[in-house]
Amino acid sequence: MTELIDFSEYRRRGAGKQRVYFDQSELRLLLDMYSRRVATGEWRDYAIDFNGPVAVFSIFRNTHETPIYAIAKRRNGKHWEFIIRTGGQTVKRGRELPDVLKVLEKKLRLVDA
């Protein structure tokens, strides 16, 4: 069921202050990586969720499946923390998104012609 929100009351309570978002440079990195993998046919869909203190970029192989990867951003003390999870397990965590995304970069390999 849809819940109506009175924005003036929402702002007065400060409910929106706890929300975490990906900034423009982070979104650029995520969408750049995503588009390269879409071009190879590996990934087909993504979703961005803002669940209060956590922002999540989910990657899907097919639209009607569970995500194969979830990249989360959250506050850890005074610093931001980025976490990549797949299948309920943490693959990588760190303070810098480019360092964390290196885990998802494909290694080049030689192919016989």
Side-chain angles (χ1 to χ4, degrees), residues 76-102:
N76 187 0
K78 294 182 180 181
H79 304 283
W80 292 112
E81 180 178 43
F82 297 92
I83 304 165
I84 296 180
R85 295 181 53 89
T86 183
Q89 295 184 328
T90 300
V91 176
K92 177 82 173 171
R93 76 175 55 224
R95 288 187 183 173
E96 300 294 325
L97 182 59
D99 295 336
V100 174
L101 290 179
K102 286 180 184 176

Side-chain angles (χ1 to χ4, degrees), residues 30-83:
L30 290 166
L31 291 172
D32 180 55
M33 177 201 57
Y34 172 77
S35 64
R36 283 185 273 127
R37 298 296 278 276
V38 167
T40 63
E42 297 174 70
W43 297 346
R44 300 212 191 295
D45 203 2
Y46 73 92
I48 301 175
D49 297 309
F50 304 104
N51 298 322
V54 179
V56 181
F57 185 90
S58 300
I59 300 166
F60 298 85
R61 184 166 285 133
N62 292 310
T63 304
H64 302 292
E65 292 183 349
T66 58
I68 54 174
Y69 294 106
I71 303 161
K73 176 183 179 181
R74 69 177 186 175
R75 171 112 16 224
N76 187 0
K78 294 182 180 181
H79 304 283
W80 292 112
E81 180 178 43
F82 297 92
I83 304 165

Side-chain angles (χ1 to χ4, degrees), residues 2-40:
T2 304
E3 177 185 353
L4 294 176
I5 298 171
D6 179 6
F7 285 121
S8 61
E9 180 62 28
Y10 182 78
R11 287 187 194 113
R12 197 173 13 261
R13 289 189 319 225
K17 294 179 183 177
Q18 302 267 353
R19 294 189 94 91
V20 174
Y21 300 96
F22 292 108
D23 65 30
Q24 185 177 8
S25 63
E26 293 163 351
L27 276 175
R28 185 176 295 122
L29 285 171
L30 290 166
L31 291 172
D32 180 55
M33 177 201 57
Y34 172 77
S35 64
R36 283 185 273 127
R37 298 296 278 276
V38 167
T40 63

